[in-house]
Amino acid sequence: MNLAPTIRVHTEKYMREQNLKLQHFSDITGINVGTLSAILKGSRPMSMNQLNQITSAMGLEKGYFYESYGVESFIESAPHWRRLEPYLYECAEIGKLDCIQQVITHVTDDRSYIEQLFEVAEDFFVKGLKEAALILYECVADSEKYQHSERLALCQYRIFLLHKTLNKFNNLNAAVKFEPYIDKLNEEIQLDALKDLANLYSTMNLWDKVFELAEESIRRTDLQIQLHFMRRKKKPRVAFYPLFTYKAYAILHKAHVSGERRQYIQALEYTDIYEEVVNKINDPTGEEQELIKLFKGWAEGNRYLYKLLSGDFEVLNDYHVYLDANHGEISTAFVYILQAANQYFYNVDNTLNRFKDKIDDIRTKKYVNIYNEQASNFRYIRLFYELAKYRLNQNLIDQGIDDLITSLQRCVSSNDDMMCIKCIDLYGKYRHFASKTQEKQYTKLIDKLSVPTFRS
């Protein structure tokens, strides 16, 4: 078997081809001639900065030698954290994820680096280097000796957050895998985890689970608030938000669940309760004022929403004014406006015309709302399903089928079985009106849906 040329061999070959003496190449790279000589002789290890200087001097793109450097410095030689840490950062920043995976798989055999790797993963997470962070978190979790440690639980929490996709099966699998670790987290971080889990389960229509998590969140938040007031010396906040936020948000979840169960009076009562929670905050900070404003805005919008779903369309004009000032709520609002219109056979053409541009932006993915990607996807599917029903009820068949196919496309890509079935059922009632183009689009989507996907 032929061994791959080392970086040193590549460099020496380049110098011969370019007829460069050591001093000249030293001048080009900016590396001291004595240091460069020692590197080329193999008597001195090469730093990442020196590697980048040599690579640039040879006219190659940054990262050209990263795979070779990883093998030579961390697999074939004993790894040293002083060189490994900058290597991980450089690879993460230019997307050399395979290099990180290759080196980390080898390095984690030495458990002395677990703590440092976790700290780097946390820094990657904060900086938005999510794919690189995920590799480190998974390696640390696999190598964690103390299976009940808080660090392991935090790794699993980060993995859960980073594994979320638009595929509902993947999300459910990630949630089920993470949930047993919640109790091992810091007590305040548990509140973030419960909120994130409830958000995810709500996109799957698992309302009993959402309600259960909301009640548990309220219980744990109340306990943390009590402990906070009992402490003589205030500790720095660990949770992402002020504590009251989690109680208010959990009650908002309970209102949402009640609304989905068509218990609209109960939903309005919960809405009053979470608004009361935020109104009780004394001398709020700037951050708390922003959150209070957010919850009060949600409460106002949700009251219109639950009244509409109860059949009270007299609030629709006031809802228009609210949405004019709160564009981030439009995708959510129209799901329920159309649902109410379909349920009570009420004409909302004026509303659709008023916000036509916003709906078109949602359709063409130009519109970004305030919710996370999974929730946005869930609302997108429901919005165009309800819009399709509304158009079909108006006998606007061609437009209605187009909207239905829009919803089905996202259902298929997300493996949303329940909404797929609803779309297929509705299409079946109007299939004989579909154009050849629409039927072809529909058939392609059904073919994708019927092909089983095997996962390891």
Side-chain angles (χ1 to χ4, degrees), residues 48 51-67 90 94 96:
M48 280 301 296
L51 174 66
N52 289 333
Q53 289 173 287
I54 290 171
T55 305
S56 176
M58 294 170 65
L60 301 171
E61 74 274 11
K62 186 177 181 180
Y64 183 87
F65 289 122
Y66 280 10
E67 183 176 359
E90 294 277 6
I94 66 172
K96 291 279 187 177

Side-chain angles (χ1 to χ4, degrees), residues 200-426:
L200 189 63
Y201 282 128
S202 70
T203 67
M204 303 177 194
N205 295 321
L206 297 174
W207 304 119
D208 289 348
K209 190 66 178 175
V210 174
F211 198 87
E212 173 193 324
L213 290 168
E215 292 200 311
E216 183 61 20
S217 183
I218 292 170
R219 185 187 70 78
R220 298 192 192 200
T221 304
D222 283 341
L223 177 59
Q224 289 303 309
I225 291 173
Q226 287 177 4
L227 291 173
H228 176 77
F229 284 113
M230 288 170 60
R231 292 189 184 109
R232 292 182 181 179
K233 188 175 181 181
K234 302 303 180 185
K235 292 184 177 181
R237 191 178 86 205
V238 179
F240 191 82
Y241 298 104
L243 291 177
F244 77 88
T245 309
Y246 299 96
K247 183 170 185 175
Y249 200 75
I251 300 168
L252 186 150
H253 268 308
K254 293 175 80 169
H256 186 196
V257 172
S258 297
E260 292 295 332
R261 292 172 173 170
R262 300 194 176 187
Q263 299 167 345
Y264 303 124
I265 293 175
Q266 182 70 71
L268 286 167
E269 289 174 357
Y270 281 133
T271 301
D272 290 340
I273 293 171
Y274 71 72
E275 186 172 37
E276 184 180 352
V277 168
V278 301
N279 281 336
K280 286 182 177 179
I281 304 303
N282 295 320
D283 193 23
T285 64
E287 178 190 21
E288 289 171 341
Q289 288 174 8
E290 288 298 315
L291 288 165
I292 290 168
K293 181 181 177 182
L294 188 63
F295 277 102
K296 289 173 73 69
W298 283 340
E300 180 185 356
N302 286 339
R303 287 192 184 97
Y304 295 134
L305 185 153
Y306 296 133
K307 288 176 182 178
L308 274 178
L309 291 171
S310 301
D312 179 7
F313 286 90
E314 291 184 4
V315 302
L316 194 53
N317 286 334
D318 289 336
Y319 204 7
H320 290 168
V321 175
Y322 170 83
L323 293 175
D324 282 335
N326 295 274
H327 289 169
E329 298 296 324
I330 286 176
S331 63
T332 302
F334 268 88
V335 170
Y336 296 104
I337 290 171
L338 289 163
Q339 181 181 322
N342 290 330
Q343 182 178 344
Y344 298 103
F345 298 98
Y346 189 86
N347 189 302
V348 292
D349 284 353
N350 287 338
T351 304
L352 290 171
N353 290 333
R354 180 172 182 150
F355 296 97
K356 181 180 181 301
D357 290 344
K358 299 299 180 185
I359 295 173
D360 288 343
D361 285 345
I362 295 170
R363 187 193 304 271
T364 57
K365 304 177 185 178
K366 294 179 183 177
Y367 185 83
V368 179
N369 73 5
I370 62 176
Y371 300 101
N372 62 41
E373 190 176 12
Q374 294 75 30
S376 295
N377 186 62
F378 181 56
R379 286 170 173 80
Y380 182 100
I381 290 169
R382 292 183 66 185
L383 169 60
F384 288 103
Y385 172 78
E386 294 293 344
L387 185 57
K389 281 182 68 175
Y390 182 76
R391 295 304 190 199
L392 291 170
N393 287 338
Q394 289 185 313
N395 209 34
L396 299 172
I397 307 300
D398 188 64
Q399 193 172 347
I401 292 177
D402 278 345
D403 289 330
L404 190 58
I405 289 172
T406 297
S407 180
L408 184 59
Q409 283 173 332
R410 190 67 69 87
C411 290
V412 171
S413 64
S414 305
N415 282 346
D416 191 329
D417 286 349
M418 187 186 76
M419 288 304 299
C420 277
I421 291 169
K422 292 179 75 169
C423 287
I424 290 168
D425 180 62
L426 185 58

